[in-house]
Amino acid sequence: MDTNTKDTVIDVNNVEFLYEETDTAQVLKGITLNVRRGEFLAVLGHNGSGKSTLAKHLNAILVPQTGNVTVEGFDTADENLLYKIRQRVGMVFQNPDNQLVATIVEEDVAFAPENLGVPQAEIKKRVEYALDAVNMTEYKEHAPHMLSGGQKQRIAIAGILAMKPDVLVMDEPTAMLDPVGRREIMETVKKLNREENMTVVMITHFMEEAAEADRVIVMDHGKSIMEGAPKEVFSRVEELKKIGLDVPQTTELCFLLKKSGLDFDANILTIDECVNKVMSVYNSKGGATND
Amino acid sequence: MIKLSDICYTYMSDGPFEKAAVKNVNLTLNSGEFIGLMGHTGSGKSTLIQMIAGIVKPTSGKIAIDGQELYAKNCDMRKMRFKTGLVMQYPEYQLFEETVFKDIAFGPSNMGLSEDEIKRRVFFAANLVGIGDELLEKSPFELSGGQKRRVAIAGVLAMEPEILILDEPTAGLDPAGRDEILCKIKDMHQRLGITVILVSHSMEDLANLTDRIVVMNHGELAMFDKTAEIFKHSEELKRIGLSVPQITEVCSRLSEAGFPIAEGIYTVEMARAEIERILKSEKS
């Protein structure tokens, strides 16, 4: 993909950050990366790798102490641009219960556009659009606290969509959800990315989720240490394990079989790829039972 | 032994919002077993473990632990509750003391033990979860997320329960933190010979650790069997909003494609050994 400025929505340039001057270690140590228009970018890293701190830099909740971050060319350090930046980059956090403010779903979704001074008729349209995009229209008159975790998180996403942002940043949005809730969020995010062309940045430590992204950045000790398509990144099994991360079971299986001296590679990601690979090795050794 | 007979629990019974959380569950768990408990959100798993721990009283049915029926006239509930240790979700939110030592000591102090015994238990429990002595005088709030959670678990272990119930002890932890906690739990189970009930959404973790698995669905007991047997029912598990480990899916797909792989594989290591055996024997 082209990396010139036209395609870059967010540019993070050599950012350093520490919370308190007395902190012994910096949280971000000169990280540089960009977010490209229309992509689904996953940021992987263990607890304490700096990934949430990075996320907060993407819409000026935090501003860099050294280096700079620009959103559509706007510098996040310029306080006058704060509204412009936050309208363009919306953030969803881990705990859905901390993000819902109203007692009725549609009022909750309308909260941000109301604060932005959007006219009433337009708000109505946006709320309808946002609830439809996360597949929650039938719950518009429900009370948020009666919904499941996955549904609540989808309402939080709808609340961001109603601002019509350019980028959706999500900081471990599935960490507190069950498998069904996690699936709901992943389906929603992928649909938004594909059908609505929404740029998505997803911070996670679930490698299954990162495996579904277009591009993965791996963070460790406040730096980006790997970057590439999920296939390339996950094939580096030993390096990932060394920094406390996992790879999909399929990748690990092929990696172990390779180590056992069989004709395998660790660039296997999906179940289909893994099954096909085993079958092709099996057939090439004359073990085929069918033609 | 834990024996549940016809257990039911109904929220807000006789009201307009009446909801049956657990319906007619019959279950016998042996002492020293490592039991997995899974089910989607709202399946009744949390209510079930709270009943076993003696926190929630069943609407009907009987629970007996080592032959003693809970809530019976002759039952000393205080004593029975000390038998069962329940580690709730996000237990680190319950830390409150000034120091790690005092926090771990809170449970045993309430049991009316001597100072020496409390001290012994705090060191023992901290050691089990891998919290070094140098951390004991620190404030629990200075620790990392994974450390806080281990301190919270130590607080329950210090009461030396015979049955340890953990409700999603790895939720929100990264893979390294998760492996660390699970490894400690496995180690405790082996060293102390206690019964462990692990509630988890991770099929991979349940596959790696448990002897038998209880599957709950809409308040009812959907399945209860040996771990290998449970993961043979992938269609049924998917229908109730659960899944099988990714590796089990790979093996069943391989079997369909005509690869002569054995049934009942549910860990990566098992799959590696089996596939290697087949491919290497074909070679010769």
Side-chain angles (χ1 to χ4, degrees):
Chain A
M1 203 185 280
D2 201 10
T3 56
N4 67 39
T5 24
K6 199 175 139 233
D7 282 313
T8 299
V9 199
I10 304 178
D11 204 7
V12 175
N13 191 11
N14 206 16
V15 168
E16 293 180 19
F17 188 84
L18 77 172
Y19 283 95
E20 281 171 48
E21 276 175 34
T22 49
D23 279 358
T24 42
Q26 276 180 319
V27 184
L28 295 179
K29 294 182 197 163
I31 187 164
T32 297
L33 57 92
N34 62 6
V35 180
R36 301 165 190 165
R37 194 175 309 281
E39 78 170 337
F40 176 5
L41 172 68
V43 179
L44 262 181
H46 58 80
N47 294 347
S49 62
K51 57 191 194 309
S52 292
T53 306
L54 171 70
K56 292 192 179 102
H57 276 81
L58 302 182
N59 74 345
I61 294 175
L62 297 174
V63 293
Q65 287 155 345
T66 321
N68 66 307
V69 176
T70 57
V71 173
E72 303 276 19
F74 299 123
D75 191 332
T76 60
D78 185 343
E79 267 187 50
N80 299 320
L81 298 173
L82 210 58
Y83 258 58
K84 286 195 165 124
I85 289 162
R86 297 228 174 114
Q87 273 177 51
R88 283 169 173 80
V89 183
M91 183 106 77
V92 173
F93 298 94
Q94 196 180 89
N95 189 344
D97 291 320
N98 295 347
Q99 301 172 73
L100 303 178
V101 290
T103 51
I104 302 287
V105 164
E106 56 182 356
E107 286 175 10
D108 195 275
V109 177
F111 183 77
E114 273 172 358
N115 278 329
L116 294 174
V118 175
Q120 196 60 34
E122 169 71 11
I123 291 180
K124 208 161 173 266
K125 260 195 259 169
R126 287 193 185 189
V127 170
E128 274 169 25
Y129 152 79
L131 284 173
D132 183 54
V134 300
N135 214 357
M136 285 296 287
T137 306
E138 60 174 306
Y139 293 93
K140 66 179 179 185
E141 286 169 11
H142 282 233
H145 69 273
M146 300 293 274
L147 303 176
S148 75
Q151 289 172 331
K152 280 190 249 186
Q153 199 62 301
R154 282 189 282 155
I155 298 300
I157 295 173
I160 300 297
L161 294 179
M163 289 196 307
K164 299 245 170 190
D166 297 341
V167 185
L168 177 62
V169 178
M170 312 178 80
D171 189 2
E172 298 193 37
T174 64
M176 300 181 87
L177 306 182
D178 70 358
V180 177
R182 281 173 61 186
R183 233 340 62 220
E184 285 171 14
I185 298 305
M186 284 311 288
E187 296 301 331
T188 304
V189 169
K190 277 170 28 190
K191 178 177 155 233
L192 288 172
N193 177 249
R194 270 197 318 264
E195 292 171 17
E196 312 285 326
N197 233 341
M198 177 68 68
T199 307
V200 176
V201 179
M202 186 162 185
I203 316 274
T204 182
H205 53 234
F206 288 119
M207 42 72 203
E208 312 92 301
E209 292 172 358
E212 298 188 45
D214 299 323
R215 193 160 67 103
V216 179
I217 287 175
V218 179
M219 284 187 70
D220 187 38
H221 293 296
K223 279 187 174 159
S224 155
I225 58 158
M226 287 184 214
E227 189 254 312
K231 228 181 218 296
E232 297 159 26
V233 168
F234 287 121
S235 66
R236 295 159 76 171
V237 178
E238 277 173 329
E239 284 168 80
L240 287 170
K241 292 213 157 187
K242 207 182 288 165
I243 60 166
L245 292 174
D246 252 347
V247 297
Q249 288 194 319
T250 42
T251 312
E252 179 161 19
L253 175 67
C254 293
F255 171 76
L256 291 172
L257 288 168
K258 182 186 176 192
K259 263 173 94 178
S260 302
L262 289 157
D263 180 21
F264 278 82
D265 267 316
N267 64 353
I268 298 285
L269 212 53
T270 66
I271 293 178
D272 280 337
E273 287 170 356
C274 183
V275 169
N276 290 340
K277 182 68 200 172
V278 174
M279 289 313 287
S280 90
V281 175
Y282 180 56
N283 290 336
S284 74
K285 294 191 189 305
T289 48
N290 49 8
D291 49 19
Chain B
M1 196 170 81
I2 305 168
K3 193 166 165 23
L4 309 184
S5 320
D6 277 326
I7 289 296
C8 295
Y9 186 79
T10 311
Y11 282 101
M12 296 181 264
S13 52
D14 302 327
F17 298 109
E18 180 175 286
K19 186 176 181 301
V22 173
K23 299 176 217 165
N24 296 316
V25 171
N26 286 290
L27 201 58
T28 303
L29 310 175
N30 299 324
S31 295
E33 268 193 301
F34 201 128
I35 298 286
L37 175 54
M38 63 189 189
H40 57 83
T41 307
S43 63
K45 356 179 252 300
S46 293
T47 309
L48 191 71
I49 56 174
Q50 285 171 15
M51 288 194 286
I52 295 174
I55 295 174
V56 167
K57 189 179 172 184
T59 311
S60 65
K62 282 178 187 163
I63 301 175
I65 294 176
D66 296 333
Q68 170 65 57
E69 190 190 314
L70 297 189
Y71 302 104
K73 276 215 174 88
N74 65 348
C75 178
D76 179 352
M77 280 307 289
R78 188 175 157 82
K79 201 180 110 201
M80 293 309 285
R81 289 195 180 112
F82 288 142
K83 259 191 174 202
T84 321
L86 172 60
V87 179
M88 298 197 190
Q89 274 181 41
Y90 296 93
E92 61 275 22
Y93 293 154
Q94 297 170 37
L95 298 173
F96 68 101
E97 273 286 10
E98 282 168 9
T99 67
V100 170
F101 183 95
K102 284 188 190 168
D103 213 295
I104 299 176
F106 182 75
S109 307
N110 279 334
M111 296 173 81
L113 303 169
S114 71
E115 284 298 315
D116 283 349
E117 176 63 9
I118 291 170
K119 211 171 159 189
R120 182 193 70 77
R121 287 188 174 205
V122 171
F123 281 106
F124 175 71
N127 177 266
L128 272 179
V129 298
I131 292 291
D133 294 353
E134 75 283 0
L135 294 178
L136 291 178
E137 288 312 314
K138 277 200 165 185
S139 158
F141 303 103
E142 287 172 41
L143 308 179
S144 76
Q147 285 174 327
K148 276 187 205 162
R149 189 162 304 177
R150 281 184 281 139
V151 168
I153 294 176
V156 173
L157 287 173
M159 298 173 77
E160 302 195 348
E162 291 165 37
I163 301 160
L164 178 65
I165 307 174
L166 302 120
D167 193 357
E168 291 190 59
T170 62
L173 297 182
D174 63 8
R178 178 202 65 204
D179 289 346
E180 197 173 346
I181 295 243
L182 291 178
C183 176
K184 297 291 176 202
I185 292 169
K186 193 176 172 185
D187 182 48
M188 270 179 295
H189 173 249
Q190 283 166 352
R191 274 168 63 186
L192 309 178
I194 55 177
T195 310
V196 176
I197 302 176
L198 175 68
V199 179
S200 176
H201 285 313
S202 164
M203 303 303 140
E204 285 77 14
D205 293 348
L206 290 173
N208 284 328
L209 291 164
T210 59
D211 301 320
R212 290 201 289 174
I213 293 181
V214 176
V215 183
M216 294 291 291
N217 185 35
H218 294 302
E220 291 175 29
L221 181 68
M223 295 183 214
F224 178 41
D225 211 330
K226 289 204 177 77
T227 304
E229 293 299 318
I230 292 286
F231 289 130
K232 282 182 190 167
H233 299 93
S234 70
E235 289 308 313
E236 208 175 332
L237 289 169
K238 279 182 201 158
R239 207 166 44 239
I240 59 178
L242 300 169
S243 60
V244 293
Q246 193 192 29
I247 202 72
T248 306
E249 190 78 34
V250 168
C251 294
S252 69
R253 293 273 304 278
L254 281 171
S255 180
E256 278 166 31
F259 188 76
I261 193 162
E263 254 195 85
I265 289 179
Y266 52 88
T267 67
V268 173
E269 192 38 49
M270 286 165 82
R272 185 210 49 84
E274 175 70 0
I275 293 172
E276 188 180 336
R277 182 186 67 77
I278 294 166
L279 291 178
K280 287 195 169 161
S281 71
E282 293 294 339
K283 205 193 281 185
S284 56

